[in-house]
Structure formats: C-alpha cells, structure tokens
Amino acid sequence: MNQSVENNRILLVDDDLVLRTMAAHVLATAGFAVAECDSGESCLALLAEQPVDLVLLDVLMPGIDGFETCRRLRANPATRDIAVVMLTGLESSDSIETSYQVGASDFVTKPIGWDLLVHRIRYNLRAVLMRHRLVASEASLADAQRLARLGSWQWWPREGRFECSDQFARMFNLSPADRSRATPFTLLQAVVPDNRAEVEAARRQAVQSGTAYNLRFHSLGSDGGVRFFREELQSTVDPDGQVSKLTVVTQDISVLAAQEEKIRFLTYHDQTTELPTRQFFVEVATHVLEQAARNRAECAVLYIDLDRFSAINAFFGNETGNEVLRTTAQRIVASIRAADIAGYARSPEGLEVAARAGGDEFLVMLSQPRRELNTTLVADRLLEALRAPITVGGETVELTASIGIALFPRDGDSVDTLLEHAEYAMRNARNRRDSFTYFDDSIGQAATRRIHREAELRRAIGKGEMVLHFQPKVDTSNGRIIGAEALVRWQHPEWGLLPPGEFIPLAEDSGLIVPLGQAVFSMACAQVAAWQAVGIWRPPLVVAVNLSAASFIDQNLVEQLLACTRHHGVAPASLCLEVTETALMENLDLATSRLIELRAAGFRISLDDFGTGYSSLNYLKRFPVDQIKIDRSFVSDITSDDQDAAIVAAIVTLASKFGLELVAEGTETLAQVEKLRDLGCTVAQGYYFARPMPAEQLGSLLASAGKLP
Ligand code: C2E
Ligand code: CA
Ligand code: CA
C-alpha cells in the first residue's frame, strides 16, 4: 500500500470492455495504476498473483457474479482486507443491500458519474490506508485514528468487558466512568432515534450469532451535533460456536458525505437559478410516479416557457437575462409552495418539484393534486406571479409565460412521455401567450394541423423538394477529403431551406422517414455516379448516408439499396450507412443479421453518435461495423475536460483493438483537431473544416485537389 492514495493499484472487473476501457482511462487520468479483467474467476486468479489496493467490481457478469466474487474475496485471508467497490446496475436498494451483506466497502451505481467514481475511490483507498497504518504501527495508532476520524471498540460478551480507543472516547465524549460501564447497547443512546432500531438489531445479531455488519448511521458526536458515521463490525467465534469477541471500527464520514452532497448538488442544480436540473427532476419524478401508480394517485407535469425571453437577453444582455431567470425561479418556487431553494418540498398536498429545463424553460411536478381544479389553480397562480414586472439594474421588464400541462395517468405513464406531452401542450399555449393548455385539449387542434403538415411533407418528398448537402470527412494529417456525409434539407417553396431538425421528427412519427430515406439514398447514389462520370471520384472516397431506425428494420432494405446502386451504376463500397446505437438497440437480433447482410452486400457501416448511449462492448462485438463516429459532445470539451479526453482516448483504444476506422464529429477548432490527433484520431468532420455544402461546391473541391484549402 502506498502512503498516498494516488498511484494505488486498482483492479477493474467488468465483462463489458467498453465500460472497462472508459473507466480505466478516467482512473489512470486521475493517477491510479489500473489493471483490468473481465470475470469474477479471472479477478480471483489475478489477485492470487498480484496484490491490489482496491477492486472495482461489476455485479452482473457471466460466470460467478460480483456478489459471489466479493464473498470469496472476503473469505480468503489474503484478500480479506482489500477495499471492494461494487458497480451496481440502476439505483436499486436490493443490490446495494446485498453489496453490504457480501462485505463490499462501498458501491457505485451505473451509469457511472465519472467525478463521483474518482471521489469514491479516493475515499475508500484512504480508509484502507488508515487501516493498514493501524496494523503496521501501534505507535502511530492514535495519530492515525485521529486523522482518519476513526475510533474502535471491542466487546467480550461472555465477560461483559468493553474497551475502546482513546479516539473513540473522544469522538463520543465518553468519560473514564462511561468507558468502564459501556456496552454495545449503552452506546446506542447517541444514535439518532431514526437509526437506532437498525443499529441495535445489527448489534444483537452480532452478539448472538457473530454476524458481521457494515452500517451507516447518524449519531450525536462529541460536540453534541449530529454527525454521520460508518461502522464495521467483525466477530471472533470460538470453535464451540460461541461469540467470544466483537471488534468494531467506527469512522466519522460527515466530511465525505458533505463533499458528496456538494458534488451531487453541483450536478443536480443549475448554477444560475440554483433550481434542480432536468436530470434531477426526471429522477425525482420517476420515484413520484412509481408511488402515485401504487396509490392510484394523480400527478401533473407543467412545462413553463417564458414568452419573448430571447428578446430580453438580446436587448439587455446576459447578466440581466440571468437575473430575470433567477427571479422567475423564485416566483415559480413560491407559487407552488415548494419551501426551500433546493426546489422541492413535501407538503400536505404531496411532493412538489420545480426545475430548470434549460434556457428559459422550467418544469414543475405536482404530485397528488386533488383533481384538475387544483392544477388549474397552480397554473393560474404561476401565470399571475410571472406577469408581475421585474426590476433589474434600473430596468423594468415585463414578461409573461406559457404553460403546458400533462396529467398522470391520463396523458402518459412515464416521465418522458409526460414531459413530451406537457412541452407539446406548451407550444400550443404559446400561440396565445400568457395562458396554459392541457395536453388533452391541445391534441385535437394539433391533430388537424399535423395532418396538414404530414400531407405537405409527403408531397414534398414526391415532388423532389428534398436536397442533399455534403459535409466532408477529412484526414487531418494532410487535409485530404476521404469522404462526405450526405445531410438532407427541405427546399420549401415558402419557407426556404429547412434543416432536418424541422421535419425529421415528423417524418419519423408518421412513417414517412422510410420513403424519405429511400429518396435520400437514391440522390446520394445519383451524386456519386455524377462525380464518377466527370472523373473527380477516386476510390477511397465514400459517401455516408444516415439510416433511420425504421428504414433499418424494413424487410426490403437490402434489396432496395442494391437495386438503387445497380440503377445508378455505383458500387455499394462507395456508400456508407450511418446508424445509431439506439436504432440498433431497438431490436438486437434483427440488427445483427441486418448488418451482416448489408456488409455482405458490400456497404460500409458507421456507428453514429458513439459514446452517448449505454455504449457497450456487447454491441461492438456483436455488430459488425467499419467505423465509429465519436459524438460531438465529447469533442466539444476535449481541450478543457480531462474526462472527455480520457473517454476519447478510450474510444481510440477500442477502435484500434477492433480494427475500426474512427471519425470525430463536430470538430470546430484547431485546438480540438490537434488534441484529437494527439490522442490518435486523425479523421474529423466539422465546422472547422467545412459546413455541409451543396453538391456543386464539394464537387469543385474534389476536382481541384481533393483537399481542403
Ligand atoms: P448527425 O447524423 O449527427 O449529423 C451531423 C450533424 O452535425 C449535422 O446537422 C451537421 O450539420 C452538424 N455538424 C457538423 N459539424 C458540426 C460542427 O462542427 N459543430 C456543430 N455544432 N454541428 C456540426 P444537420 O445537418 O442539421 O443534421 C442533424 C441530424 O439530422 C443528423 O445528425 C441526423 O441525425 C439527421 N439527418 C440528417 N440527414 C438525414 C437523412 O438523410 N436521414 C436521416 N434519417 N436522418 C438525417
Ligand atoms: Ca450522421
Ligand atoms: Ca452524429
């Protein structure tokens, strides 16, 4: 064990290579020495040969699972003292409890928050470090205990004898007399009433049958304030089965808990308004809905949008804009009677949550509002509160809001659906401003409008109003264009050139995405043929086309694509199909066989937006692809955020391991290009090189030198 926790050895045990690689990079970046393996069996074998300080152990693995692995580690004297942090799937109290039962030191839930992971690991290593120091040197015992806020006591049940360390006595303010009279049960007086029964039961169980435990509880400390403790109990059982001794280590983890709370606060709270973030809202709302479903109660989700806020930002500047947002947040919280600034409160009416959805949009959840009337009242109160003029820096600003409301269970049974429907209703309310609309009422009007828009889109596809723009993929080492992505636009007779965001969602919802996809593919083939005809197309060039989930599962996909390439006289190898992980995930088995068919037909496959989903090796291994595209979100912070850089480095490692081409999308600056190149990614696409452009423009680039100027 090293004296400092950096350079400590961590063994990462997870069957998922992608997660493992990402975690390994993040931990190595944080200064740890990381070893990896992919199963419980190999973990046990590895530990027999080389010691480590901490094991990060996945719960779900083929072969023996994480729980069993931990159990075996604890049963073996050689590995008994290693810190074990379990990686549990989803926040499930069962697996957390099982983790502690099998002797884990701590747990981390998936999907992993990288900041929290590093923090937790440092903390656990420090605890182990202290334990080791205690064992190593009796002399420094007292010191180490004080530093670690670590106290210990021992109890011999048969003799009724109690002994504790000086630090323990200090932590709980025990006088010499208290110390001589103490038992595990008199100590319970300091434990707060809420936790007392649990601690008492665990200690009884330990006295009776020697059951070890690892508990967290609140207790009064020496200063009379409530502090947070973690306590580990080990027992000695005589050959005759009698418990002869209990050994307990108690650690004051208040500081750690406060730090974690801070981190959680930062990830869960918006800096400007201090309201919870959308992420937090979704988590809390999910719990609220589960409870509401059990109690057959109703809930309401309100989506609030400030009318004309962007004008305020543009006119008065960001600072004033932020001030307005803060005032808005306070008024929302006050209107829903959520008492504290953290933005949520429990009242006799149920649980109320307010959050900032981003920009000038806010969310409110009302649980168990008694009937619609109540929600209507709150919506009215909100509109009224937000209508009041706001004075900032001598300026008076007048604002109104639009609110959309979706009710559980009538308008949806998941948080996602409710949010989507509330937002939808909000857009309808926005037509009138300073008003609210229930989702139910808005669909009637909207259904009519939608039928019109659908018909218009269908006609547009038929009439050839769709056009393709092309964005080059560039070899950054020499500026050569090695391919281009075809991106569709709608040349609307009245509205001008519409970006895909304006019509792809409608196309997807209505099924028009399949004919649209065929039109796009056909145009792409025609373009390749045209470039070939004028001799500016050299073989390594590939045109990429985005393939929607619906097209992907279409029975006739491969046949149609092949018919199209034959018709235009182009080789399938000149075309690449970009699919997203989410599209593949919708139907794993079909996806696999479809990809195999497509590649057998000669098409190239690119995995789009990589890293954003539950990126997992299981897919990379299963899905035969040629290329992965690192999602824009990692590239955008790559020069400022070590973790994003570590994740990109991990993806580079994976790509080379699997022999895949790699493209970084959304590359906007020279610094990003250089950083990507340092990390080993030399193909990029993005505004830094070129925006998507009309075919003629790309044609003249290809004709000149096939390079970017
Ligand atoms: P995508 O497949 O991730 O495409 C890349 C998007 O990122 C394009 O937006 C592109 O213009 C944009 N982009 C490229 N470089 C940069 C950059 O440096 N910075 C930033 N901020 N953005 C950059 P676009 O053209 O608006 O397309 C949006 C999405 O629409 C595409 O995302 C794709 O999912 C979908 N889409 C576009 N064309 C088609 C199509 O023909 N079929 C289907 N099914 N979907 C399409
Ligand atoms: Ca794409
Ligand atoms: Ca993409």
Side-chain angles (χ1 to χ4, degrees), residues 167-204:
Q167 171 66 7
F168 184 84
R170 260 197 303 277
M171 278 160 64
F172 292 94
N173 221 4
L174 300 181
S175 68
D178 294 336
R179 278 173 84 161
S180 68
R181 282 194 301 263
T183 76
F185 303 101
T186 61
L187 296 174
L188 288 168
Q189 282 155 15
V191 178
V192 300
D194 272 0
N195 295 153
R196 201 174 290 153
E198 185 192 2
V199 180
E200 180 169 5
R203 287 189 188 160
R204 289 218 182 280

Coordinates of all heavy atoms in Angstrom, one line a residue, residues 167-204:
Q167 N -9.4 7.6 20.8 CA -10.1 8.4 19.8 C -11.6 8.2 19.8 O -12.4 9.1 19.7 CB -9.5 8.1 18.4 CG -10.2 8.7 17.3 CD -10.1 10.2 17.2 OE1 -9.4 10.9 18.0 NE2 -10.9 10.8 16.3
F168 N -12.0 6.9 20.1 CA -13.4 6.6 20.1 C -14.1 7.4 21.3 O -15.1 8.0 21.1 CB -13.6 5.1 20.3 CG -15.1 4.7 20.2 CD1 -15.7 4.5 19.0 CD2 -15.8 4.6 21.4 CE1 -17.1 4.2 18.9 CE2 -17.2 4.2 21.3 CZ -17.8 4.0 20.1
A169 N -13.4 7.3 22.4 CA -13.9 8.0 23.6 C -14.1 9.5 23.3 O -15.1 10.1 23.7 CB -13.0 7.8 24.8
R170 N -13.1 10.1 22.6 CA -13.1 11.5 22.2 C -14.3 11.7 21.3 O -15.0 12.7 21.4 CB -11.8 11.9 21.6 CG -10.9 12.7 22.5 CD -9.8 13.4 21.8 NE -9.0 12.6 20.9 CZ -8.0 11.8 21.3 NH1 -7.6 11.9 22.6 NH2 -7.3 11.1 20.5
M171 N -14.4 10.8 20.3 CA -15.5 11.1 19.3 C -16.9 11.1 19.9 O -17.8 11.8 19.4 CB -15.5 10.0 18.2 CG -14.4 10.2 17.1 SD -14.0 8.7 16.2 CE -15.5 8.2 15.4
F172 N -17.1 10.3 20.9 CA -18.4 10.2 21.5 C -18.5 10.8 23.0 O -19.4 10.6 23.7 CB -18.9 8.8 21.5 CG -19.2 8.3 20.1 CD1 -18.3 7.6 19.4 CD2 -20.4 8.6 19.5 CE1 -18.5 7.2 18.1 CE2 -20.7 8.2 18.2 CZ -19.7 7.5 17.5
N173 N -17.4 11.5 23.3 CA -17.4 12.2 24.6 C -17.6 11.3 25.8 O -18.4 11.6 26.7 CB -18.5 13.3 24.6 CG -18.0 14.6 25.2 OD1 -16.8 14.7 25.6 ND2 -18.9 15.5 25.3
L174 N -16.9 10.2 25.8 CA -17.1 9.2 26.9 C -16.1 9.6 28.0 O -14.9 9.7 27.8 CB -16.9 7.8 26.4 CG -17.7 7.2 25.3 CD1 -17.4 5.8 25.0 CD2 -19.2 7.4 25.7
S175 N -16.6 9.7 29.2 CA -15.7 9.9 30.4 C -15.1 8.6 30.8 O -15.6 7.5 30.3 CB -16.6 10.5 31.5 OG -17.4 9.4 32.0
P176 N -14.1 8.6 31.6 CA -13.5 7.3 32.0 C -14.6 6.4 32.7 O -14.6 5.2 32.4 CB -12.4 7.7 33.0 CG -12.1 9.1 32.6 CD -13.3 9.7 32.0
A177 N -15.5 7.0 33.4 CA -16.5 6.2 34.0 C -17.4 5.6 33.0 O -17.8 4.4 33.0 CB -17.3 7.1 35.0
D178 N -17.8 6.4 31.9 CA -18.6 5.9 30.8 C -18.0 4.7 30.2 O -18.6 3.7 29.9 CB -18.8 7.0 29.7 CG -19.7 8.1 30.2 OD1 -20.5 8.0 31.2 OD2 -19.5 9.2 29.6
R179 N -16.6 4.9 30.0 CA -15.9 3.8 29.3 C -15.9 2.5 30.1 O -16.0 1.5 29.5 CB -14.4 4.3 29.1 CG -14.2 5.2 27.9 CD -12.8 5.7 27.9 NE -11.9 4.8 27.2 CZ -10.7 5.2 26.7 NH1 -10.3 6.4 26.8 NH2 -9.9 4.3 26.2
S180 N -15.9 2.6 31.4 CA -15.8 1.4 32.2 C -17.2 0.7 32.2 O -17.3 -0.5 32.4 CB -15.3 1.7 33.6 OG -16.2 2.5 34.3
R181 N -18.2 1.5 32.1 CA -19.6 0.9 32.2 C -20.2 0.5 30.8 O -21.2 0.0 30.8 CB -20.5 1.9 32.9 CG -20.3 2.0 34.4 CD -21.5 2.7 35.0 NE -21.6 4.1 34.5 CZ -21.1 5.1 35.1 NH1 -20.5 5.0 36.2 NH2 -21.3 6.3 34.6
A182 N -19.5 1.0 29.7 CA -20.2 0.9 28.4 C -20.5 -0.5 28.0 O -19.7 -1.5 28.4 CB -19.4 1.6 27.4
T183 N -21.5 -0.7 27.2 CA -21.7 -2.0 26.4 C -22.2 -1.5 25.0 O -22.5 -0.4 24.8 CB -22.9 -2.8 27.1 OG1 -24.1 -2.2 26.7 CG2 -22.8 -2.9 28.6
P184 N -22.2 -2.5 24.1 CA -22.7 -2.1 22.7 C -24.0 -1.4 22.8 O -24.4 -0.7 21.9 CB -22.7 -3.4 22.0 CG -21.7 -4.3 22.7 CD -21.8 -3.9 24.1
F185 N -24.8 -1.7 23.8 CA -26.2 -1.2 23.9 C -26.3 0.1 24.6 O -27.2 0.9 24.2 CB -27.1 -2.3 24.4 CG -27.0 -3.6 23.6 CD1 -26.2 -4.7 24.0 CD2 -27.5 -3.7 22.3 CE1 -26.0 -5.8 23.2 CE2 -27.4 -4.8 21.5 CZ -26.6 -5.9 22.0
T186 N -25.4 0.4 25.5 CA -25.5 1.7 26.1 C -25.1 2.8 25.1 O -25.5 3.9 25.1 CB -24.6 1.8 27.4 OG1 -23.2 1.6 27.0 CG2 -24.9 0.9 28.4
L187 N -24.2 2.3 24.2 CA -23.7 3.3 23.2 C -24.8 3.7 22.3 O -24.7 4.8 21.6 CB -22.6 2.6 22.3 CG -21.3 2.2 23.0 CD1 -20.4 1.5 22.1 CD2 -20.6 3.5 23.6
L188 N -25.9 3.0 22.2 CA -27.0 3.3 21.3 C -27.6 4.6 21.6 O -28.3 5.2 20.8 CB -28.0 2.2 21.3 CG -27.7 0.9 20.7 CD1 -28.7 -0.2 21.1 CD2 -27.6 1.1 19.2
Q189 N -27.5 5.1 22.9 CA -28.1 6.3 23.2 C -27.8 7.5 22.3 O -28.6 8.4 22.1 CB -27.8 6.7 24.7 CG -28.6 5.9 25.7 CD -27.8 5.8 27.0 OE1 -26.9 6.5 27.3 NE2 -28.3 4.9 27.8
A190 N -26.5 7.5 21.8 CA -26.1 8.6 21.0 C -26.7 8.5 19.6 O -26.8 9.5 18.9 CB -24.6 8.7 20.9
V191 N -27.1 7.3 19.1 CA -27.6 7.2 17.8 C -28.9 7.9 17.7 O -29.8 7.8 18.6 CB -27.7 5.7 17.4 CG1 -28.3 5.5 16.1 CG2 -26.4 4.9 17.6
V192 N -29.1 8.6 16.5 CA -30.4 9.3 16.4 C -31.6 8.3 16.4 O -31.4 7.2 15.9 CB -30.4 10.2 15.2 CG1 -29.3 11.3 15.2 CG2 -30.3 9.4 13.9
P193 N -32.7 8.7 16.9 CA -33.8 7.8 17.1 C -34.2 7.1 15.7 O -34.5 5.9 15.7 CB -35.0 8.7 17.5 CG -34.3 9.8 18.2 CD -33.0 10.0 17.6
D194 N -34.1 7.8 14.6 CA -34.4 7.2 13.3 C -33.6 6.0 13.0 O -34.0 5.1 12.2 CB -34.3 8.2 12.2 CG -35.6 9.0 12.0 OD1 -36.5 8.8 12.8 OD2 -35.6 9.9 11.1
N195 N -32.3 6.0 13.4 CA -31.4 4.9 13.0 C -31.2 3.9 14.1 O -30.6 2.9 13.9 CB -30.0 5.5 12.7 CG -30.1 6.4 11.4 OD1 -29.2 7.3 11.3 ND2 -31.0 6.2 10.5
R196 N -31.8 4.2 15.3 CA -31.4 3.4 16.5 C -31.8 1.9 16.4 O -31.0 1.0 16.6 CB -32.0 4.0 17.8 CG -31.2 3.6 19.0 CD -31.8 4.3 20.2 NE -31.4 5.7 20.2 CZ -32.1 6.7 20.8 NH1 -33.2 6.4 21.5 NH2 -31.7 7.9 20.8
A197 N -33.0 1.7 15.9 CA -33.5 0.3 15.9 C -32.6 -0.5 15.0 O -32.3 -1.7 15.3 CB -35.0 0.3 15.4
E198 N -32.2 0.0 13.8 CA -31.4 -0.7 12.9 C -30.1 -1.1 13.4 O -29.6 -2.2 13.3 CB -31.2 0.2 11.6 CG -30.5 -0.5 10.5 CD -30.1 0.5 9.4 OE1 -30.4 1.7 9.6 OE2 -29.6 0.1 8.4
V199 N -29.4 -0.1 14.1 CA -28.1 -0.4 14.7 C -28.2 -1.4 15.8 O -27.4 -2.3 15.9 CB -27.5 0.9 15.2 CG1 -26.1 0.6 15.8 CG2 -27.3 1.9 14.1
E200 N -29.3 -1.2 16.6 CA -29.5 -2.2 17.7 C -29.7 -3.6 17.2 O -29.0 -4.5 17.7 CB -30.7 -1.7 18.6 CG -30.9 -2.7 19.7 CD -31.9 -2.1 20.7 OE1 -32.5 -1.1 20.5 OE2 -32.1 -2.8 21.8
A201 N -30.5 -3.7 16.2 CA -30.8 -5.1 15.7 C -29.5 -5.7 15.1 O -29.2 -6.9 15.4 CB -31.8 -5.0 14.5
A202 N -28.6 -4.9 14.5 CA -27.4 -5.4 13.9 C -26.5 -5.9 15.0 O -25.8 -6.9 14.9 CB -26.7 -4.4 13.0
R203 N -26.4 -5.1 16.1 CA -25.5 -5.5 17.2 C -26.0 -6.7 17.9 O -25.2 -7.6 18.3 CB -25.4 -4.3 18.2 CG -24.5 -3.2 17.6 CD -24.2 -2.1 18.6 NE -23.5 -1.0 17.9 CZ -23.4 0.2 18.3 NH1 -23.9 0.5 19.5 NH2 -22.8 1.2 17.6
R204 N -27.3 -6.8 18.1 CA -27.9 -8.0 18.7 C -27.5 -9.3 17.9 O -27.1 -10.3 18.5 CB -29.4 -7.9 18.8 CG -29.9 -6.9 19.9 CD -31.1 -7.4 20.7 NE -31.4 -6.3 21.6 CZ -30.8 -6.1 22.7 NH1 -29.9 -6.9 23.2 NH2 -31.1 -5.0 23.5

